Structures are given as C-alpha cells and as structure tokens.
Amino acid sequence: MKDVAALSGVSLKTVSRVVNREPGVSAELMSKVQRAADQLDYRHNLAASNLRRTDRKTATIGLLLEDLGNPFSAAVLRGVEEVARARDVEVLAGSVDADPRRERELAGAFIARRVDGLVVMPSGNDHSYLLNDVRAGVQVVFVDRPPVHLEADAVLVDNTAGARDAVTHLLSFGHRRIGFLGDRITLPTAVDRFAGYRRALEAAGLSVDPDLVVHDLSTDDASREAALALLAQADPPTALFTAQNLITVGAVRALRQLDRHHQVAMVGFDEVPLADLLEPAITVIAQHPSAIGQLAAELLFSRLDGDTSPRRRHLVPYTVIVRGSGEIRHG
Amino acid sequence: MKDVAALSGVSLKTVSRVVNREPGVSAELMSKVQRAADQLDYRHNLAASNLRRTDRKTATIGLLLEDLGNPFSAAVLRGVEEVARARDVEVLAGSVDADPRRERELAGAFIARRVDGLVVMPSGNDHSYLLNDVRAGVQVVFVDRPPVHLEADAVLVDNTAGARDAVTHLLSFGHRRIGFLGDRITLPTAVDRFAGYRRALEAAGLSVDPDLVVHDLSTDDASREAALALLAQADPPTALFTAQNLITVGAVRALRQLDRHHQVAMVGFDEVPLADLLEPAITVIAQHPSAIGQLAAELLFSRLDGDTSPRRRHLVPYTVIVRGSGEIRHG
DNA sequence: TTGAAAGCGCTAACAA
DNA sequence: TTGTTAGCGCTTTCAA
C-alpha cells in the first residue's frame, strides 16, 4: 500500500480510502490510485486491516463438522457456504471425527484466526470452553446436536418424532418384531432416535425386546455384522429400523447377503445416496442438511448483525420418503 | 497479551516467549505467565502475530473445489484436511461452480486473507492472474485439471487412458455401437475422456458415430434425457460409456425407466456411491479423490518447506472396478 | 477533499 | 534470562 501511495503520489490514507471505497475522494485521484494499484498488483491485506479496524470483522467464519467426507456434513457445508458467499464471507472448515478434544482444538485454531463466528456440529458434551469467546463477541450456532453448558442458537431436527414415525410406519404394515440398529449411544441424536423407537412400540402396546436392539454402530461394516446377527436369531425381526445413513447401508448389505431384502422391511434415518435406485428402493426419514446449513448461517449472520433476542432452538422439518423397503408387509 | 503481562508482572516480550514456547524462559516466570493467561482466558491473535513475523506464515491454506456438496470434491477436501491437520494448518474452502469469475474472486478472497498456499480445482482456462501471487510466495497446486499460462504443480488422473480402458472393456464384450455421454466439452477432463473413447474405437477399427455422442451434460437429469434419446434411435447403442458420475446416475435412471438395465451394458467414469448395490452393479473407472487431495496437500507443503525443484504433473492411478454392468455381452 | 501521526496486537532486533 | 524499542500494513483520529 505504501508503494501504491508512492507511485501515485498521494498519502497512505488516500490509498486506503480508495481500496475501501470510502466516499470523498476526487475522481482524478481515485483513478490515479487504481492505476498504480493495478500496475503494482496490489493485494489488500485483510489481516492488517482488521487489526486496526474498530469493528474487527474478518469476514471469515469457522465450521466444525463431523466428517467433511460424509455427504451429510458436506451438504451442511454447502448450505453454509451459499449463505456466506452472498455476504462475501469465507469459510474455514474442519472435521471433528467424533473426538471432543479435536472439537476444542479446532475451535481454538479458528478463534486464533479471529473468525467472526462458528457453526458447530458438536462432538463433546461440554461447551463451556467457548463461554469467554462468546462473551468476547464470537457468535456460535450449533447444528445437529444442542449445546451443553452454553447458551447458543441451535438448528436441530426432531429426531424422536422422526424415529417414531419410521417405526409407526413399519407397525402399520403388520410388523411386531422390529430390530433397532443405532449409532454410538453417547450421541444425543442416537439417544433421541432410540427414544422414538421405544415410544412407537409402546404406543402400539409393545415393549422393547433387548434381543432386537444394537447400539454403538459407527461404521457400515459394524452395522452389516450386527444385522446379520439379529437375523440369525431363532425368532428374528421381520423389519429393521436403521437409525443413521451408514447403518442403513450396512443393513442393506446384510439383507442382500442373506437374499432377504424382499422379505425383511426396512426404514432408515437419513437420506442415502441413490436410495431410489436400489431394489427395493429404501424408505427413509430424510433430513435436509443443506437447509440446516443455510438456516445456521442465517442465524449466525443475524447475530453478527446485532440480533440480541434470546437464543433458541430451531427445528428443521424432516420428510418421510416412501420408496418400497418400508412397505413390505408382514404375514 | 498486554493484560497478561501486567497481571503476571513481566514484560510483553516474555509473555510472547511463553505463548510461542520459545526457549530461555525460567520455569517460574513461565508458570506465572501461564496462570495469568488462563485466568484472563487469553487467546493468541495469529493475525497480529503473523503481521510482524518474518516468515509470514498464517498456517492457513485455501482450497477451491468444483462443488463442496459433490462427493468427489468433498473427498478431495477430506484428503487435504488430513494432511493439513498433521501440521496444524487450517483450510479455507469454497466452491467454484464451473464459473471462472468465481474462481478468480475466491482465489482473491483467500489471498487477501493471506493464505500460505492454494489448492485449485480450476474452472477457468487462464491462471495468469495468479502469477504475481506466485512470485510473492503463494504456493499453488492444481488438481483434476492442469494450470494454463502458469507454472505450477498439478495432480491429475490420466483421463484419456481411463476412458480408453472403459471403452476397450465394452468392446471386449462384443459391443460395436457404444454411446458416449459427456460433460461440458470446455472442461479438459471431458476433452480427454472423449479422446480416450475415440482412440479405443479406432484401435478396434471403428470410427466415432456422431449419432451416438452427446456432450455438455452437466446434471443427472440432462444425462437421463440424453440417454433416453440415444436409446430411442432406430439403431440404438448396445452399450454406454458415461464420462462422469452424475452422468452415470442419469443413464442408470434412463435404463431403469426403459427396463433395459439388464440388456444395455454400461461403464462409468468416476465412482458412484452404492454402485455395488445396484442391479446390475455398476462397473466404473474409479478415481481416488481422497488420495488426490492428500498428494496435492503434500506437494503444497513440500513447496512451502522450500522445495524448488521444477514444477511438474503427478498422475494418480485410476482403478477399473468390474461389477456387472460393463460385462453384459452383446449378441 | 486530503494528509500526518498514532496505534491495533504482536514479534524482531538488540540491549541489559 | 529478561526487557526495551521499533515496526509489520493498515485504519483511526484529527488537523489542514
């Protein structure tokens, strides 16, 4: 910037005014400065600018997701990006990989880079480590799971209701023995989905048979094996509720392996890519991750714009997508 | 930092030394400073630190991808992230969406935030706009498509050979009329894949029948319609080569719609999620996007570490995954 | 409308 | 081992 000022024969401050499009610079000086900047290939230094500015906005936000390679996380990222782009805000993104320590480290690394705000798909169950940063003005919005020991907006899906709907759907096709395959039970979403399973059964006058329930599945292969074991029982389930997308995929593989995919009914939580092209096509409770990301970003920016209304939870609706696997009748 | 110095009764510089883990601070002062920092919830300001440092490293890199929501891009991002994480480097990521202007803007936005380097999946065909930044020390590595008017490392796949292998595979199952469904022909990858198609035919003594070729498909639905049109011809193709993952999905839908998925053979370029669970399962030329991302990041960091050997192109091998759809015999 | 001087939070260079 | 001073690139404040 100094060089641009020297070349165009004006003061530093005038160059700064031109670069920041501040009003009150004569057309003549403006074009002179522009030309000098072009000639020297000047690149504005946002970090330095931001250091001195009073508003201290870096126009950068941080996004902590479960796993950037997973389609669910990727779609949330895409949703956040779309809203951020409209405001010329850039996005730092990282995977937390179900590791609470990693979550803290990533958040710290982003804050050291002075992000204006954070969108967090949390892994840990204590977010008080962000208290001081929130006090210092960093805005935080949670997605997928609510914050613990911290007041912050959250964008959630009603996992209990979704799971209840899935299981009620299976019950309506005559099933009475419905297997449950679920994620790590430390995750609030997994707890809620299991609660929904239980409630649907209880509403039908049934109770949970522990022999039909497997928790703590975190890979599709673990799910495949769990499904194989369930179906090998003396009195096997006639239907499965798979409480997460990788789990659904594992169960599909198991049913194929046993050639029972046209006999055993199945409803999955979360959309699965190409679910409509499988035979049978998979009935799912679909979340809308891109809408979740968009809403989270919009909330974040409205907070950054000064909205101080009470923090609250926002529910994004889910959709029951009927495709065939969930409509296999029992008996 | 000033406050920490005041509270612990030492100079600014001593706090700086402790924060940066510089040697030569007595254990006593060190713990005193630590305590003060904890008490005040001090967060280091990397931007300010970086402004003054001589090495000027922000420990942040920028990643420009085609579309963060697409599994291919997402896997590249994941690969880059893994390598970056091992060095405590964070990643700014953005989608270019096939828009060259967007590519320039994103690159500019990342450079204004003083990234140490850039990994670019380019959309435009002139990258000279980065010349001055490269001269100024920003390292750039291209992925998927090579740089134009700029010397830089690139991580590529041999698209021509992959496409040739795909079509040769179909020829070996007796097919002589093989349809080509391809992406926007402005993309170098699309050009190369079409070249591979042509070469395989010519090596078998056949020539390209323009009635069997459709370019410029950019969505799965466009591909579905193009495939329907191809197959409605008087002398339709007996096999299809689909030159990109969304195109493959569209063609699968078309074949299903016509109930010809067990008659018309098909090989796709790029892996498709759950391709192994379809009937028939889809034979593909699989790229390894996560390996591409990892290699790109490793190259970038080796350049940042001072490697000044000539810039060059690196090929990541592809894999032919035989699953069924490509092995449907003709006649 | 333009510019000079001070200072954002931090580290380099040097001195004690 | 510790501290002092200057200055990174920019914007603020205030004066011309």
Side-chain angles (χ1 to χ4, degrees):
Chain A
M1 182 145 142
K2 209 168 51 180
D3 301 334
V4 176
L7 179 63
S8 51
V10 302
S11 76
L12 256 184
K13 177 66 229 194
T14 299
V15 178
S16 170
R17 281 194 257 256
V18 172
V19 166
N20 291 293
R21 292 175 176 69
E22 283 172 38
V25 179
S26 69
E28 190 201 357
L29 281 195
M30 193 141 149
S31 72
K32 212 190 278 186
V33 170
Q34 293 286 25
R35 245 177 301 129
D38 286 350
Q39 196 177 324
L40 295 175
D41 288 296
Y42 171 74
R43 291 277 198 183
H44 193 52
N45 186 333
L46 269 186
S49 159
N50 185 65
L51 192 57
R52 192 59 179 88
R53 291 192 109 93
T54 27
D55 67 355
R56 296 298 17 238
K57 293 282 172 64
T58 54
T60 304
I61 61 175
L63 181 45
L64 281 74
L65 294 168
E66 179 55 35
D67 169 11
L68 289 167
N70 161 322
F72 185 82
S73 295
V76 173
L77 169 55
R78 190 63 161 105
V80 169
E81 188 205 9
E82 266 158 34
V83 175
R85 178 190 300 194
R87 307 179 56 127
D88 288 321
V89 167
E90 303 306 330
V91 181
L92 277 165
S95 303
V96 150
D97 291 322
D99 179 355
R101 218 184 52 209
R102 170 82 189 140
E103 177 192 324
R104 280 189 70 146
E105 287 171 359
L106 250 190
F110 289 170
I111 289 168
R113 286 166 181 75
R114 289 300 182 266
V115 292
D116 300 328
L118 242 27
V119 174
V120 182
M121 184 182 290
S123 173
N125 47 19
D126 178 7
H127 306 109
S128 57
Y129 67 91
L130 286 171
L131 258 170
N132 289 285
D133 301 299
V134 167
R135 254 181 234 131
V138 178
Q139 299 294 338
V140 185
V141 175
F142 283 72
V143 291
D144 199 45
R145 306 160 209 161
V148 184
H149 303 319
L150 184 76
E151 231 178 274
D153 292 306
V155 177
L156 306 171
V157 166
D158 189 338
N159 288 285
T160 305
R164 185 175 32 76
D165 287 357
V167 176
T168 302
H169 185 79
L170 290 168
L171 288 164
S172 76
F173 284 86
H175 297 280
R176 287 297 172 270
R177 293 187 58 72
I178 301 174
F180 175 92
L181 297 172
D183 205 338
R184 282 154 295 204
I185 201 68
T186 50
L187 298 174
T189 51
V191 172
D192 289 350
R193 291 174 196 176
F194 183 60
Y197 167 79
R198 172 188 299 274
R199 275 191 216 169
L201 291 181
E202 288 171 354
L206 301 170
S207 59
V208 172
D209 177 347
D211 287 348
L212 298 183
V213 171
V214 187
H215 292 296
D216 296 315
L217 303 169
S218 57
T219 66
D220 61 343
D221 212 54
S223 166
R224 188 180 56 82
E225 286 176 12
L228 288 175
L230 276 191
L231 294 162
Q233 292 181 131
D235 189 8
T238 64
L240 297 175
F241 169 54
T242 52
Q244 192 250 48
N245 54 7
L246 290 180
I247 295 173
T248 303
V249 171
V252 170
R253 290 191 203 285
L255 290 173
R256 289 294 174 99
Q257 194 174 329
L258 299 171
D259 196 29
R260 295 184 64 188
H261 46 300
H262 291 292
Q263 282 83 54
V264 178
M266 191 170 117
V267 175
F269 206 111
D270 286 341
E271 183 61 296
V272 169
L274 301 199
D276 60 320
L277 290 178
L278 299 182
E279 290 171 11
I282 310 298
T283 294
V284 297
I285 308 298
Q287 299 192 60
H288 302 288
S290 149
I292 291 173
Q294 285 178 32
L295 178 55
E298 278 156 12
L299 284 170
L300 188 69
F301 289 127
S302 84
R303 294 300 182 186
L304 286 169
D305 289 344
D307 177 358
T308 56
S309 59
R311 317 285 157 186
R312 65 186 204 78
R313 295 177 181 198
H314 301 253
L315 284 185
V316 173
Y318 57 86
T319 313
V320 182
I321 304 184
V322 170
R323 293 198 176 111
S325 73
E327 297 72 45
I328 297 173
R329 198 167 280 284
H330 173 56
Chain B
M1 184 147 141
K2 210 167 51 180
D3 300 335
V4 177
L7 180 63
S8 51
V10 301
S11 77
L12 257 185
K13 178 68 225 193
T14 299
V15 178
S16 170
R17 281 194 257 259
V18 173
V19 166
N20 291 292
R21 292 173 175 69
E22 282 172 39
V25 179
S26 69
E28 190 202 356
L29 281 193
M30 192 140 149
S31 72
K32 211 189 277 184
V33 170
Q34 293 286 25
R35 244 177 302 129
D38 286 351
Q39 196 180 323
L40 296 174
D41 288 296
Y42 171 75
R43 290 278 197 183
H44 193 53
N45 186 333
L46 269 187
S49 160
N50 184 64
L51 192 57
R52 191 59 178 90
R53 292 191 108 93
T54 29
D55 67 352
R56 307 247 100 189
K57 292 284 171 65
T58 54
T60 305
I61 61 175
L63 181 44
L64 282 74
L65 294 167
E66 178 55 36
D67 169 11
L68 289 167
N70 161 322
F72 185 81
S73 295
V76 173
L77 169 55
R78 191 61 163 105
V80 169
E81 189 205 9
E82 267 157 34
V83 175
R85 178 190 300 192
R87 308 179 55 127
D88 289 322
V89 167
E90 302 307 330
V91 181
L92 278 166
S95 303
V96 151
D97 291 323
D99 179 354
R101 216 182 56 208
R102 171 81 188 139
E103 178 193 323
R104 281 190 69 146
E105 287 171 359
L106 250 190
F110 289 171
I111 289 169
R113 286 165 181 75
R114 289 300 182 267
V115 291
D116 300 329
L118 242 26
V119 174
V120 181
M121 184 181 290
S123 172
N125 47 19
D126 178 7
H127 306 109
S128 58
Y129 68 90
L130 286 171
L131 258 169
N132 289 287
D133 301 299
V134 168
R135 254 181 233 130
V138 178
Q139 299 293 339
V140 185
V141 175
F142 283 72
V143 291
D144 198 44
R145 306 160 208 160
V148 184
H149 303 321
L150 184 76
E151 231 176 275
D153 292 306
V155 177
L156 306 171
V157 166
D158 189 339
N159 287 286
T160 306
R164 187 175 32 77
D165 286 359
V167 176
T168 302
H169 186 79
L170 290 168
L171 287 164
S172 76
F173 283 86
H175 298 281
R176 287 298 171 270
R177 292 186 61 70
I178 301 174
F180 175 92
L181 296 172
D183 206 337
R184 284 154 294 204
I185 200 67
T186 50
L187 299 174
T189 50
V191 172
D192 290 349
R193 291 174 197 176
F194 184 60
Y197 167 78
R198 172 188 300 275
R199 275 191 217 170
L201 291 181
E202 288 171 353
L206 300 169
S207 60
V208 172
D209 177 347
D211 287 348
L212 298 184
V213 172
V214 187
H215 292 296
D216 296 315
L217 303 169
S218 58
T219 66
D220 61 341
D221 212 55
S223 165
R224 188 180 57 82
E225 286 176 11
L228 289 175
L230 275 190
L231 294 163
Q233 292 180 131
D235 188 9
T238 63
L240 297 175
F241 169 53
T242 52
Q244 193 250 48
N245 55 6
L246 289 181
I247 297 174
T248 303
V249 171
V252 169
R253 289 191 203 284
L255 290 173
R256 290 294 174 99
Q257 195 173 329
L258 299 170
D259 196 29
R260 295 184 63 188
H261 47 301
H262 291 292
Q263 282 83 54
V264 178
M266 192 170 117
V267 176
F269 207 111
D270 286 340
E271 183 62 296
V272 170
L274 301 200
D276 61 319
L277 289 178
L278 300 183
E279 291 171 12
I282 310 298
T283 293
V284 297
I285 309 297
Q287 299 192 61
H288 302 288
S290 150
I292 291 173
Q294 286 179 31
L295 178 56
E298 278 157 12
L299 283 169
L300 188 69
F301 289 128
S302 85
R303 294 300 182 185
L304 287 169
D305 288 344
D307 177 358
T308 56
S309 59
R311 316 286 158 187
R312 63 187 205 78
R313 295 176 182 199
H314 301 252
L315 284 184
V316 173
Y318 56 85
T319 312
V320 183
I321 305 184
V322 170
R323 293 197 176 111
S325 73
E327 297 72 47
I328 297 173
R329 199 167 281 283
H330 173 55

